[in-house]
Amino acid sequence: MKARPETLLAQVLGHVDETTGALAPPVHLSTTFERDPDRDYPRGYSYSRSSSPAWSLLERLLAELEGGAEALVLGSGMAAATLPFMALPPGSHVVTQATMYWGVRSWLADQDRRGAIRVSMADHPDDIPGLIRPDETRLVWIESPANPTFRCTDIAATAACAHAAGARLVVDSTVATPLLTRPIEHGADLVMHSGTKYLNGHGDVLAGVLVTAREDGFWAELVRLRAMQGAVLGPFEAWLMLRGMRTLHLRVRQCSQNALALARHFENHPRLRSVLYPGLTSAPDHEVARRQMQGGFGGMLSIRLAGGESEARKVAARVRVFKRATSLGGVESLIEHRASIEGEGTPVPPDLLRLSVGIEHIDDLVGDLEAAIDGQARARVGSGR
Ligand code: PLP
């Protein structure tokens, strides 16, 4: 019987060290590996910028969770996100959605200005098919649910359009995690994650992940480029990430339950213009989300304040349990005014606050946000509430 994701995660694929019987995986520090007298590397490792035993278990676990053929870990989500674009011929045409993680969007805009890649950005995911040019577009990039509106893009429909035009589909599935969505099952060619977020989950590792549906020439080029570019994951980070992943299923379940409870609680709040969360039945992409997400709708949501930008900034200033910080997918809840972080030209509405919902008690989270929206500052957690 094939083990379920929960079992694969808790037991790190059932790992037992062959020589010692240790259940906790080792930290492999060596940067270089011995050759045979005939100059071969029979164990498959030569130099740790190309391949490392520190990554092997982690990469096998990630490939297994995503239902892919192989995985690569890298030194950050950005290192992973930019690699497929770097593997394209100069001047290639790519299609993305405008609403997505701003770092990837800004990097693509830079590449477009330099003429390295020609980028068409769809204002709405429904406009993506119309921007794909048959035999010209090389890559379609989507993020689902997408930062920070958490709109969902139909992966299967987008994959069909991309493939009909001869393009590859890459999905940034950071927010969904491999537990809630497996994009390869919906037709994606590559899946990308910022491992900094839910996969590691404890806010102490910067990492990136790519998983491929199949081993082909494009994948071989990504493997080659990772070694050449050198933005690789250090052994301690790989070990910490693997350790964090052992509880991924528990964390994702709790974050998703808390986020849904918050979204439902605040959905009709008179001081909010809207709550953006794909798990709400009123969400515009709820049906898409239901089709491609199982076991929850993730731990990310945004709220838009009826009082506009100044009210949004005040709410962010008043919270005490939520922490004002960037990033997402950790055990603690975070809040952020995204428009001011992203700066000029951002498509993010100024009245929007992004929430990364953690695993705290739901009553503490609801109470904190309620008080902040109602205009009261509350006692800080741990200071004698
Ligand atoms: N993709 C998404 C959806 C993200 O949220 C982030 C980071 O916030 C990234 C990519 C980039 O990842 P990293 O910060 O690990 O480079």
Short mmCIF file of all heavy atoms in Angstrom, two decimals, residues 181-204:
data_model
loop_
_atom_site.label_atom_id
_atom_site.label_comp_id
_atom_site.label_asym_id
_atom_site.label_seq_id
_atom_site.Cartn_x
_atom_site.Cartn_y
_atom_site.Cartn_z
N THR A 181 -2.85 21.25 -2.86
CA THR A 181 -2.96 21.19 -4.34
C THR A 181 -1.74 20.48 -4.88
O THR A 181 -0.61 20.76 -4.45
CB THR A 181 -3.01 22.60 -4.95
OG1 THR A 181 -4.08 23.34 -4.38
CG2 THR A 181 -3.23 22.55 -6.46
N ARG A 182 -1.94 19.58 -5.86
CA ARG A 182 -0.81 18.94 -6.55
C ARG A 182 -0.91 19.34 -8.02
O ARG A 182 -1.55 18.67 -8.83
CB ARG A 182 -0.86 17.43 -6.36
CG ARG A 182 -0.78 17.12 -4.86
CD ARG A 182 -0.38 15.76 -4.44
NE ARG A 182 -0.56 14.65 -5.32
CZ ARG A 182 0.23 13.56 -5.28
NH1 ARG A 182 1.22 13.51 -4.42
NH2 ARG A 182 -0.01 12.55 -6.07
N PRO A 183 -0.29 20.48 -8.38
CA PRO A 183 -0.49 21.04 -9.72
C PRO A 183 -0.16 20.09 -10.87
O PRO A 183 -0.78 20.16 -11.93
CB PRO A 183 0.45 22.26 -9.72
CG PRO A 183 0.58 22.64 -8.28
CD PRO A 183 0.55 21.34 -7.53
N ILE A 184 0.79 19.17 -10.65
CA ILE A 184 1.16 18.24 -11.73
C ILE A 184 -0.03 17.36 -12.11
O ILE A 184 -0.25 17.07 -13.28
CB ILE A 184 2.40 17.41 -11.31
CG1 ILE A 184 3.64 18.33 -11.30
CG2 ILE A 184 2.62 16.22 -12.23
CD1 ILE A 184 4.90 17.72 -10.71
N GLU A 185 -0.85 17.01 -11.11
CA GLU A 185 -2.04 16.20 -11.41
C GLU A 185 -3.04 16.97 -12.26
O GLU A 185 -3.89 16.40 -12.92
CB GLU A 185 -2.74 15.79 -10.10
CG GLU A 185 -2.02 14.65 -9.42
CD GLU A 185 -2.63 14.28 -8.08
OE1 GLU A 185 -3.65 14.89 -7.67
OE2 GLU A 185 -2.06 13.38 -7.44
N HIS A 186 -2.94 18.30 -12.24
CA HIS A 186 -3.84 19.14 -13.04
C HIS A 186 -3.20 19.55 -14.36
O HIS A 186 -3.74 20.39 -15.07
CB HIS A 186 -4.26 20.38 -12.24
CG HIS A 186 -5.00 20.03 -10.98
ND1 HIS A 186 -6.35 19.78 -10.95
CD2 HIS A 186 -4.56 19.84 -9.71
CE1 HIS A 186 -6.72 19.48 -9.71
NE2 HIS A 186 -5.64 19.51 -8.95
N GLY A 187 -2.01 19.04 -14.65
CA GLY A 187 -1.39 19.31 -15.96
C GLY A 187 -0.18 20.22 -15.94
O GLY A 187 0.40 20.48 -17.00
N ALA A 188 0.23 20.72 -14.76
CA ALA A 188 1.41 21.60 -14.72
C ALA A 188 2.67 20.82 -15.08
O ALA A 188 2.77 19.62 -14.80
CB ALA A 188 1.56 22.21 -13.33
N ASP A 189 3.63 21.52 -15.70
CA ASP A 189 4.90 20.88 -16.06
C ASP A 189 5.91 21.02 -14.92
O ASP A 189 6.72 20.13 -14.71
CB ASP A 189 5.46 21.53 -17.33
CG ASP A 189 4.50 21.36 -18.48
OD1 ASP A 189 4.40 20.24 -18.99
OD2 ASP A 189 3.80 22.34 -18.84
N LEU A 190 5.86 22.16 -14.24
CA LEU A 190 6.77 22.41 -13.12
C LEU A 190 5.98 23.04 -11.97
O LEU A 190 5.06 23.83 -12.21
CB LEU A 190 7.86 23.41 -13.51
CG LEU A 190 9.00 22.98 -14.43
CD1 LEU A 190 9.82 24.20 -14.81
CD2 LEU A 190 9.89 21.94 -13.77
N VAL A 191 6.39 22.69 -10.76
CA VAL A 191 5.81 23.32 -9.56
C VAL A 191 6.94 24.02 -8.82
O VAL A 191 8.03 23.47 -8.71
CB VAL A 191 5.17 22.27 -8.62
CG1 VAL A 191 4.51 22.95 -7.44
CG2 VAL A 191 4.19 21.41 -9.37
N MET A 192 6.66 25.23 -8.35
CA MET A 192 7.67 25.98 -7.61
C MET A 192 7.12 26.30 -6.21
O MET A 192 5.92 26.54 -6.05
CB MET A 192 7.98 27.27 -8.38
CG MET A 192 8.96 28.19 -7.72
SD MET A 192 8.05 29.53 -6.93
CE MET A 192 9.15 29.91 -5.61
N HIS A 193 8.01 26.26 -5.22
CA HIS A 193 7.63 26.70 -3.87
C HIS A 193 8.72 27.59 -3.30
O HIS A 193 9.91 27.31 -3.50
CB HIS A 193 7.54 25.51 -2.88
CG HIS A 193 6.41 24.60 -3.13
ND1 HIS A 193 5.14 24.84 -2.66
CD2 HIS A 193 6.34 23.43 -3.81
CE1 HIS A 193 4.34 23.86 -3.02
NE2 HIS A 193 5.04 22.98 -3.73
N SER A 194 8.33 28.60 -2.55
CA SER A 194 9.27 29.21 -1.63
C SER A 194 9.26 28.31 -0.40
O SER A 194 8.28 28.27 0.35
CB SER A 194 8.83 30.63 -1.25
OG SER A 194 9.57 31.04 -0.10
N GLY A 195 10.35 27.59 -0.20
CA GLY A 195 10.45 26.67 0.94
C GLY A 195 10.57 27.41 2.26
O GLY A 195 10.43 26.83 3.34
N THR A 196 10.82 28.72 2.14
CA THR A 196 10.90 29.62 3.29
C THR A 196 9.57 29.65 4.05
O THR A 196 9.54 29.99 5.23
CB THR A 196 11.21 31.04 2.79
OG1 THR A 196 12.21 30.98 1.78
CG2 THR A 196 11.64 31.97 3.88
N LYS A 197 8.49 29.33 3.34
CA LYS A 197 7.14 29.53 3.90
C LYS A 197 6.66 28.27 4.62
O LYS A 197 7.28 27.84 5.56
CB LYS A 197 6.18 29.97 2.79
CG LYS A 197 6.76 31.04 1.86
CD LYS A 197 7.16 32.30 2.57
CE LYS A 197 7.71 33.30 1.57
NZ LYS A 197 8.47 34.36 2.16
N TYR A 198 5.57 27.65 4.12
CA TYR A 198 4.98 26.53 4.86
C TYR A 198 5.91 25.33 4.96
O TYR A 198 5.91 24.62 5.98
CB TYR A 198 3.67 26.08 4.21
CG TYR A 198 2.59 27.11 4.37
CD1 TYR A 198 2.32 28.00 3.35
CD2 TYR A 198 1.87 27.20 5.55
CE1 TYR A 198 1.35 28.97 3.50
CE2 TYR A 198 0.89 28.16 5.71
CZ TYR A 198 0.63 29.05 4.69
OH TYR A 198 -0.32 30.00 4.84
N LEU A 199 6.69 25.04 3.92
CA LEU A 199 7.47 23.79 3.92
C LEU A 199 8.40 23.77 5.13
O LEU A 199 8.40 22.83 5.91
CB LEU A 199 8.25 23.64 2.61
CG LEU A 199 7.39 23.48 1.35
CD1 LEU A 199 8.26 23.37 0.11
CD2 LEU A 199 6.48 22.26 1.44
N ASN A 200 9.18 24.83 5.30
CA ASN A 200 10.01 24.89 6.51
C ASN A 200 9.13 25.26 7.72
O ASN A 200 9.18 24.60 8.75
CB ASN A 200 11.14 25.90 6.34
CG ASN A 200 11.90 26.08 7.64
OD1 ASN A 200 12.47 25.14 8.15
ND2 ASN A 200 11.82 27.26 8.21
N GLY A 201 8.38 26.33 7.57
CA GLY A 201 7.30 26.62 8.53
C GLY A 201 7.67 27.28 9.83
O GLY A 201 6.80 27.57 10.63
N HIS A 202 8.96 27.53 10.08
CA HIS A 202 9.35 28.07 11.39
C HIS A 202 10.13 29.37 11.27
O HIS A 202 10.78 29.80 12.23
CB HIS A 202 10.14 27.03 12.17
CG HIS A 202 9.33 25.83 12.53
ND1 HIS A 202 9.03 24.84 11.62
CD2 HIS A 202 8.71 25.47 13.68
CE1 HIS A 202 8.28 23.92 12.21
NE2 HIS A 202 8.07 24.28 13.46
N GLY A 203 10.11 29.98 10.07
CA GLY A 203 10.71 31.29 9.91
C GLY A 203 12.21 31.34 10.14
O GLY A 203 12.74 32.38 10.50
N ASP A 204 12.90 30.20 9.90
CA ASP A 204 14.34 30.23 10.15
C ASP A 204 15.17 29.65 9.00
O ASP A 204 16.36 29.36 9.18
CB ASP A 204 14.68 29.51 11.48
CG ASP A 204 14.00 28.15 11.60
OD1 ASP A 204 13.53 27.63 10.58
OD2 ASP A 204 13.95 27.62 12.73
#
